[in-house]
């Protein structure tokens, strides 16, 4: 029986969704999720095309990045993913992608302002940007962890973005929110408007609501 079969299926599903939504192409980007019961991590393999990848291709590693089960090497960004799990007890999933509008901010080495309420709810504050550094190393992981701090998203200078969350659903929602606010900002600038970011206290209130109250509940009988 395949180790962490359900979690590997979930990572596969979100990897395919990332490609379907245009957040990554070919073998760009990577996704992982933590199994809290075992402390093991299910992570996408290196250089695997999302169009042909299968759940069995997802690799299981420990929190130091050593392969526990899998026929392929894990993504080159494994040091970044595993560092988040070792240092951030609240993180259960990590996603990295090259979403096109957010990548525009990465190319410009600019943080992404929160100009949409929905994005503010998911993210909570401006998305910070890290300076360029070659990726795939422990040092790069440290840089991105320092940049993201206690937050949930950051821009990788001249590269892409990284997002994290308590689970895959929230990490993916945050990724979408980052891309949505980047796109809205760029569109507004094309209209000749310099959009004002939402006030920090409004972002904080929206984010608190999203974390604590935004969930599916049964209708009252």
């Amino acid at each position: 029986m395949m180790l962490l079969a359900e979690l590997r299926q979930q990572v596969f599903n979100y990897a395919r969704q990332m490609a379907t939504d245009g957040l990554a192409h070919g073998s760009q980007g990577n996704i992982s999720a933590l199994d809290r019961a075992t402390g093991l991590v299910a992570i996408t393999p290196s250089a695997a095309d999302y169009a042909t990848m299968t759940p069995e291709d997802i690799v299981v590693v420990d929190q130091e990045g050593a392969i526990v089960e899998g026929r392929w090497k894990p993504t080159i960004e494994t040091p970044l993913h595993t560092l988040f799990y070792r240092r951030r007890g609240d993180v259960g999933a990590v996603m990295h992608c090259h979403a096109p509008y957010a990548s525009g901010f990465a190319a410009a080495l600019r943080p992404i302002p929160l100009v949409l309420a929905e994005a503010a709810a998911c993210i909570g504050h401006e998305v910070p940007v890290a300076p360029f550094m070659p990726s795939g190393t422990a040092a790069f992981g440290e840089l991105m962890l320092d940049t993201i701090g206690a937050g949930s998203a950051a821009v990788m200078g001249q590269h892409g973005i990284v997002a994290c969350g308590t689970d895959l659903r929230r990490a993916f929602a945050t990724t979408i929110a980052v891309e949505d606010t980047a796109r809205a900002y760029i569109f507004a600038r094309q209209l000749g408007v310099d959009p004002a970011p939402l006030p920090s206290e409004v972002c904080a209130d929206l984010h608190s609501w999203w974390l604590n109250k935004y969930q599916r509940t049964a209708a009252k009988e």
Side-chain angles (χ1 to χ4, degrees), residues 22-38:
L23 302 174
H25 302 283
S27 60
Q28 294 177 343
N30 32 79
I31 298 179
S32 71
L34 173 68
D35 178 64
R36 296 191 182 278
T38 62

Side-chain angles (χ1 to χ4, degrees), residues 217-221:
T217 56
K220 292 182 180 179
E221 295 183 359

Side-chain angles (χ1 to χ4, degrees), residues 24-182:
H25 302 283
S27 60
Q28 294 177 343
N30 32 79
I31 298 179
S32 71
L34 173 68
D35 178 64
R36 296 191 182 278
T38 62
L40 298 177
V41 175
I43 191 166
T44 48
S46 177
D49 193 309
Y50 296 121
T52 58
M53 190 169 62
T54 68
E56 290 75 19
D57 292 326
I58 304 301
V59 187
V60 176
V61 299
D62 65 20
Q63 291 189 33
E64 298 298 329
I67 296 175
V68 176
E69 184 175 286
R71 55 183 172 176
W72 309 111
K73 289 183 178 180
T75 172
I76 190 175
E77 302 292 3
T78 297
L80 180 150
H81 289 255
T82 55
L83 183 65
F84 271 64
Y85 298 127
R86 294 197 306 271
R87 299 275 188 87
R88 290 272 306 264
D90 60 316
V91 171
V94 177
M95 296 189 178
H96 158 56
C97 71
H98 302 164
Y101 292 96
S103 292
F105 283 85
L109 292 172
R110 290 185 57 182
I112 303 176
L114 298 185
V115 295
L116 295 177
E118 293 85 352
C122 285
I123 306 166
H125 55 75
E126 178 183 79
V127 183
V129 60
F132 172 76
M133 177 186 287
S135 64
T137 66
F140 180 72
E142 292 280 0
L143 172 65
M144 294 315 305
L145 188 63
D146 287 346
T147 301
I148 206 169
S152 59
V155 178
M156 300 168 160
Q158 296 177 285
H159 188 157
I161 60 171
V162 61
C164 60
T166 54
D167 55 25
L168 284 162
R169 180 181 65 85
R170 287 200 161 173
F172 192 77
T174 298
T175 300
I176 293 293
V178 171
E179 178 68 352
D180 283 350
T181 198

